[in-house]
Each structure stands twice: as structure tokens, then as C-alpha cells.
């Protein structure tokens, strides 16, 4: 049996175990069947006229979703995109045209650098500079010290690969000011911006108002099917719609994605602050439990999560830890950790996500789950 066959079988076991578990901190999109996903989409009720005509090329329910996003973020307009990758490509390309400078200053751990196949240069003809390579948010001083002119400063809020970390509100304002002093447009990669209000202590319009444009996702925190939006000044958003069509994003019908996004705004958005608060409780209990568990070393990062997601690091091979979590789920019905990946020689890292299923967990529950997990390493 090949390695790919082994991995396929393990993935099937993992999904089956996650699906059958009666205690978990979150639910994975992989767990729902097609029928269950459709049933959830039909659940409603929606604050939308379900007897209205279906959407055609972005009207109807899609236009209503755009209106609500602009209202939530306090921007003049917003445009729906089938993917965040396309949305950001278009935003950065438009700013390059408007500023006359194709250079984008961003973090090397940001999504366009890590997960988009060098699309910024290959597809959009842009070039990047990195104010820092440190596994944290960049600083205003680092932005000011970039040795060459750049047309756009892109900030990923939160920076997922570094541990879903955010700057402080004061640091964010300083970053934006540093970009403006360099005469750059400011773009926020806000795929998970929705839950940043707790950390910043500011409402969404005040946060989004610092930037010239903002991208938000409908599935990463809101539980939608797919899709994203670009928000900003009306004239800019109109231009992004032209490029959306050129990039192949003018989809004939998108009502399932739009309805799922509206459901996420109605169901999940109000709950996100409670998820963040619970993530901080879970993280604290994990630190204590791992310290007492007998593992040689552990790290929960950040110490206090900035959002409802954070990292856990342990000094083992990732497959060993993934298999331990799999056995725990199969044998106890509890899912504490899911997949682990390599974080360096002899180190593994995993992401912990706390959503509605995790709200009922107590510190004692976390300690019990850690003990069961460590016993299976």
C-alpha cells in the first residue's frame, strides 16, 4: 500500500472519529455529509425574502449580502467573490494600478505568500517586499525601514501562521500611519477580522475604517459554504467588480453561498465574542494540564489567544500526535486535538479552534482530555 493510500485511510478514520465524537471543541466542515449540509442550508429562518427571484450574475440575494457586509464594516460598498484568493489578487492589483507601484509590502507568513502558488507575481505581475521575517506581526518601525518604495501595505488580521496573532489597537494604528507616510494604500486581509473586535476592543466599522480596503471570508469563522467579500470606497469596489469578471469570478448563480453567508452573519457573528472568551479559558487549562502531564515541553501560543483560535506545540513527530488524537477520539468519543504538522526538528504544532460545541467545556474537562491524550502518545 502506498503512502498516499495510507494517508487516505487515516483521513477517513479521522473524519469518522470526529463525526462520531460526542465531545469536541469545534466541528470540522469535513464531518457533514452532502445531505446534512443541504439540510442546514435550508434550515433558516433567514432575514431575507425567500420568495424573491433567484440571483443571476450577482443580483438578488448576492446583492443583499454585499449590502449587509458594507453596512457591518461601515464601508460605502462591498463585492462578493467566489474565493478569498481571487478577492485579494484583485484588490492588490487594483491598488497597484491606482498607486502606479506594483510592489506590495506584506508578511512572508501571510496567505498570498504561503498558500496561493506565487499568484501575486505569476498572475498579477506584482512584486513583494517583507518588512520582517519574524513570526509575529510587523511593526511600524519595520514598515518605515523598508528600503524601497511600495504601493500597498497588506496586513493580515490576525496572522494565522504565526498563531492567529493581532497587533494591539495602538500598534495597528501606528502600522497604518507608517504605511500612509510611505504614500501606500492600506489593505486588510481580514479573513478572520470578524472575531478581532474582542482583542481590539473596537467595533468592526472602526477597525475596517483604518484601511482603504478590507477582505473578509464567509466560511473561516462564519461557517459558510465558501466565498468572500471586498469592501471599501464605492469607486474602488466598482473597479474590483470589473476585475472579478476578468478573473472568472462572475458566476451565473451563487445563492447557496450567499444564503450560507447570510446565515453565518445571523447565527455565528453574534457568538464570536463568546468563542474568544472560551478559547482563553481552554488555552489556560491546556497550559496547566500539559505542564502537569509529564510531556517534556509544551507551548500554548499566544499565552492568551487573540481570537478563538490558537496554536499548541509539543516535542514529538506530528504523525505520532495525530494518531494519538485519533485513538482518543475512537476510544473515548472526545476530540481534543486534530491534525498535527511539523513545526521544526522534533517539534509538532496544531491549531485549536473553539466554537459552539466547545462552549460547554470546563477546565476539568480540558484536564481530563489532556490526560487521555498524553496517555496515548
Amino acid at each position: 500500500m502506498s503512502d498516499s493510500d495510507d494517508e487516505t485511510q487515516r483521513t477517513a478514520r479521522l473524519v469518522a472519529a470526529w463525526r462520531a465524537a460526542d465531545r469536541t471543541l469545534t466541528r470540522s466542515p469535513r464531518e457533514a455529509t452532502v445531505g446534512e449540509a443541504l439540510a442546514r442550508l435550508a434550515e433558516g429562518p433567514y432575514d431575507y425574502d425567500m420568495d424573491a427571484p433567484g440571483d443571476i450574475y450577482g443580483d438578488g440575494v448576492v446583492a443583499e449580502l454585499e449590502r449587509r457586509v458594507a453596512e457591518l464594516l461601515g464601508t460605502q460598498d462591498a463585492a462578493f467573490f467566489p474565493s478569498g484568493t481571487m478577492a485579494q489578487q484583485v484588490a492588490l492589483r487594483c491598488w497597484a494600478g491606482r498607486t502606479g507601484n506594483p510592489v506590495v509590502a506584506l508578511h512572508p507568513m501571510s496567505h498570498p505568500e504561503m498558500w496561493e502558488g506565487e499568484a501575486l507575481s505569476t498572475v498579477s505581475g506584482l512584486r513583494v517586499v517583507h518588512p520582517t521575517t519574524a513570526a509575529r506581526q510587523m511593526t511600524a518601525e519595520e514598515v518605515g525601514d523598508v528600503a524601497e518604495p511600495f504601493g500597498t501595505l497588506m496586513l493580515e488580521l490576525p496572522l494565522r501562521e504565526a498563531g492567529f496573532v493581532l497587533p494591539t489597537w495602538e500598534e495597528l494604528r501606528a502600522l497604518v500611519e507608517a504605511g500612509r507616510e510611505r504614500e501606500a494604500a492600506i489593505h486588510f486581509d481580514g479573513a478572520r477580522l470578524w472575531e478581532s473586535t474582542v482583542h481590539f476592543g473596537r467595533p468592526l466599522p472602526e477597525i475596517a475604517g483604518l484601511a482603504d480596503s478590507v477582505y473578509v471570508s464567509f466560511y473561516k469563522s462564519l461557517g459558510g459554504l465558501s466565498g468572500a467579500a471586498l469592501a471599501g470606497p464605492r469607486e474602488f469596489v466598482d473597479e474590483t467588480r470589473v476585475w472579478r469578471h476578468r478573473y472568472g469570478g462572475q458566476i451565473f448563480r451563487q445563492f447557496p453561498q450567499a444564503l450560507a453567508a447570510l446565515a453565518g452573519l445571523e447565527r455565528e457573528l453574534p457568538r464570536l465574542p463568546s468563542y474568544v472568551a472560551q478559547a482563553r479559558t481552554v488555552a489556560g487549562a491546556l497550559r496547566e494540564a500539559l505542564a502537569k502531564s509529564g510531556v517534556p515541553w509544551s507551548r500554548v501560543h499566544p499565552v492568551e489567544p487573540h481570537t478563538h483560535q490558537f496554536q499548541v506545540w509539543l516535542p514529538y513527530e506530528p504523525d505520532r500526535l495525530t494518531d494519538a488524537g485519533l485513538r482518543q477520539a475512537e476510544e473515548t468519543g472526545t476530540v481534543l486535538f486534530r491534525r498535527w504538522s511539523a513545526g521544526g526538528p522534533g517539534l509538532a504544532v496544531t491549531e485549536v479552534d473553539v466554537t459552539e460545541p466547545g462552549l460547554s467545556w470546563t477546565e476539568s474537562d480540558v484536564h481530563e482530555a489532556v490526560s487521555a491524550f498524553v496517555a496515548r502518545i
Side-chain angles (χ1 to χ4, degrees), residues 332-367:
T332 72
T334 295
V335 178
L336 177 62
F337 303 124
R338 294 174 181 255
R339 285 189 181 274
W340 293 76
S341 58
L347 286 176
V349 60
T350 190
E351 295 176 349
V352 177
D353 188 358
V354 179
T355 60
E356 193 277 332
L359 293 178
S360 63
W361 283 54
T362 64
E363 293 182 4
S364 177
D365 292 332
V366 175
H367 281 257

Side-chain angles (χ1 to χ4, degrees), residues 23 38 54 62 74 131 146 160 163 165 178-179 219 226 230 233 238 294 341 353:
R23 175 173 289 178
L38 286 174
V62 178
V146 173
R160 174 190 177 176
V165 293
Y219 73 89
S226 62
L230 275 179
D238 283 343
S341 58
D353 188 358

